[in-house]
Amino acid sequence: MAGIEGFAPNLFVGKTVFVTGGGSGINLGIAKSFARLGAKVAICGRTRERLDGAAKEIEALGAKVFTHVADVRQPQAVQEAIDATRAALGPIHVLVCGAAGNFLCRAEDMSPNGFKTVVDIDLIGSFNASRAAFNQLKETKGIILYISAGMAYMPYAFQVHVGAAKAGIEQLMQNLALEWGKYGIRSCSIVPGPIEGTEGMKRLADPKSLAERLSHIPLSRMGTVDEIGAAAVFLASPMAAYITGAQLIVDGGSGLIGSAFFNVGAEAVLRSGA
Ligand code: HXC
Ligand code: NAP
């Protein structure tokens, strides 16, 4: 629960938060942070069992939960999820676009469909959700939070697909801040660094050199899902009412040390065939 103790416990009472990819990891952590502060929470993803497990965790915090199976690559499915959320929980105040796919792959080995798959999930899926939620966010004067990554700003080896997708997300985020500000809709991104216990770390980090890499990060450790949740809560709160088009980097300073150490570790992971 670290991170949200400073926020009023009823900060999001009466508000509805919709999280794409909310069934696991960082996105589930964000959903739980809002739930702890009184929000009603909707989550979507492709896997019914995963959503059910996540819903139990969120309900255990006392929050009202709605789940809907939807692949963010399918605009109609996302629209149905967003519309059904309104019927179940009321209009959406906070949209979190967190659904993502990732794997390590050398650019020369990447199939066109592999590249397209990640761009489809991360970037086009984020647009699909944003577009589908527009009317509700206009009504609530809500906010969109995009879950980005350091790959948006700096090249990381074997992440050509993710770099393109996340850089696109940053541009999407700022374009919507520009166009939708007049409706009272804010749009921001959160850029997590390495977050412990997540699928992303399992897929990308070389376990053998992880400790060494962490020692070079200014804050010398991985972040936690609760720390990303706290950043999301802050951006969605009245404290951030004049913040839009902003990228909030929550990475312990890891973006300051470059990607070279990651690249060496990723090479080792690919060589090991993991
Ligand atoms: C090369 C691969 C591959 C791999 C899939 N592909 N995995 N290519 N290396 N390891 C290729 C396939 O061969 C296929 O191309 C195309 O990608 C689509 O694959 P499918 O399996 O059909 O796709 P799908 O079932 O839609 O699954 C999407 C996925 C999968 C992205 C491939 O990994 C997934 O569902 N991921 C969701 C969970 C996840 O990735 N979480 C981590 C997020 S962390 P062909 O040409 O053969 O048809 C994150 C961290 C950021 O983003 C930063 C951390 C520091
Ligand atoms: P994760 O647990 O795998 O989260 C991704 C979620 O997205 C899963 O719940 C997955 O559920 C869902 N998803 C994937 N494809 C989808 C699709 N097509 N439609 C709908 N839902 C889909 O990974 P994570 O590591 O916590 O990452 C979460 C977010 O943080 C991502 O945006 C990632 O890029 C970002 N990030 C992570 C790190 C890190 O250290 N882990 C660092 C920087 C940024 P289903 O498979 O059931 O659909």
Side-chain angles (χ1 to χ4, degrees), residues 5 18 22 37 53 57 64 106 110 166-167 169 201 240:
E5 295 86 352
F18 184 101
L37 299 176
E57 289 185 43
K64 200 166 172 197
R106 292 182 178 85
M110 179 85 66
K166 295 292 193 185
I169 283 176
M201 286 308 287

Side-chain angles (χ1 to χ4, degrees), residues 11 13 30 44 51 59 75 80 92 95 109 112 130 165 168 176 188 204 214 226 242 245 256-257 259 271:
L11 193 57
V13 168
I30 291 171
C44 82
L51 293 178
E59 269 162 2
E80 282 166 18
I92 294 165
L95 169 68
D109 294 333
S130 307
L176 296 189
C188 292
L204 304 187
L214 294 178
D226 286 345
Y242 201 51
L256 304 174
I257 66 167
S259 66
R271 282 221 179 107

Side-chain angles (χ1 to χ4, degrees), residues 193-252:
I195 303 302
E196 68 185 7
T198 59
E199 184 64 27
M201 286 308 287
K202 205 166 99 189
R203 288 181 180 226
L204 304 187
D206 171 32
K208 291 197 191 99
S209 57
L210 184 59
E212 161 91 27
R213 178 166 179 238
L214 294 178
S215 74
H216 294 288
I217 292 176
L219 293 185
S220 311
R221 65 172 175 87
M222 283 188 269
T224 67
V225 293
D226 286 345
E227 286 168 335
I228 304 302
V233 160
F234 165 69
L235 284 172
S237 78
M239 281 173 272
Y242 201 51
I243 299 178
T244 193
Q247 296 139 344
L248 182 50
I249 298 172
V250 189
D251 71 348

Side-chain angles (χ1 to χ4, degrees), residues 63-89:
K64 200 166 172 197
V65 186
F66 178 71
T67 63
H68 201 287
V69 173
D71 187 322
V72 293
R73 292 170 284 192
Q74 296 167 359
Q76 188 55 38
V78 179
Q79 188 70 62
E80 282 166 18
I82 298 264
D83 292 348
T85 295
R86 185 196 178 98
L89 303 180

Side-chain angles (χ1 to χ4, degrees), residues 21 24-26 46-47 50 70-72 98 100 147-148 166 192-193 195 198 200:
S24 62
I26 290 173
R46 295 168 298 176
T47 321
R50 176 171 280 174
D71 187 322
V72 293
I147 309 306
S148 183
K166 295 292 193 185
I195 303 302
T198 59

Side-chain angles (χ1 to χ4, degrees), residues 1-40:
M1 168 133 172
I4 57 164
E5 295 86 352
F7 294 97
N10 61 353
L11 193 57
F12 289 97
V13 168
K15 310 276 190 204
T16 298
V17 179
F18 184 101
V19 186
T20 73
S24 62
I26 290 173
N27 304 321
L28 175 56
I30 291 171
K32 288 165 76 172
S33 292
F34 281 105
R36 288 184 180 108
L37 299 176
K40 297 171 276 185

